[in-house]
Amino acid sequence: MFVAPRTGTVTNTEILQEIRTLPTCRGLEVRVRTGDTIAATSDLLSSNALGWALPADRDAAAVERDHRLARAFAERLRITA
């Protein structure tokens, strides 16, 4: 799940599509588009508003690496007030 640190307008959502290039990416759901307004993530339920990524593999180290990379992509998402 992705976290919105603040309420605002989302831009550069295409950055999340980069997660699909990760070797362990088995699923990606992006629920926002550039220009959408989103509320700050406040609990588990609201964490689904942006979407989620599912890394999976038998190699736990690869999953951990790609999880960190997916988070890094998500942190580059711009949300402006």
Side-chain angles (χ1 to χ4, degrees):
M1 292 174 261
F2 305 122
V3 175
R6 69 189 66 71
T7 297
T9 303
V10 181
T11 59
N12 78 316
T13 56
E14 65 278 356
I15 194 71
L16 296 176
Q17 295 302 324
E18 294 295 320
I19 294 169
R20 288 189 197 282
T21 67
L22 299 175
T24 67
C25 182
R26 300 294 179 256
L28 176 66
E29 177 75 26
V30 178
R31 296 184 172 166
V32 293
R33 290 182 281 175
T34 293
D36 287 350
T37 300
I38 191 156
T41 302
S42 60
D43 55 27
L44 182 61
L45 206 53
S46 67
S47 68
N48 280 316
L50 284 172
W52 51 265
L54 176 64
D57 197 271
R58 291 183 179 186
D59 182 351
V63 170
E64 180 60 32
R65 179 200 65 228
D66 287 355
H67 180 262
R68 282 192 309 270
L69 289 169
R71 289 278 182 206
F73 283 123
E75 288 171 4
R76 292 172 52 196
L77 192 66
R78 286 186 223 115
I79 303 173
T80 55

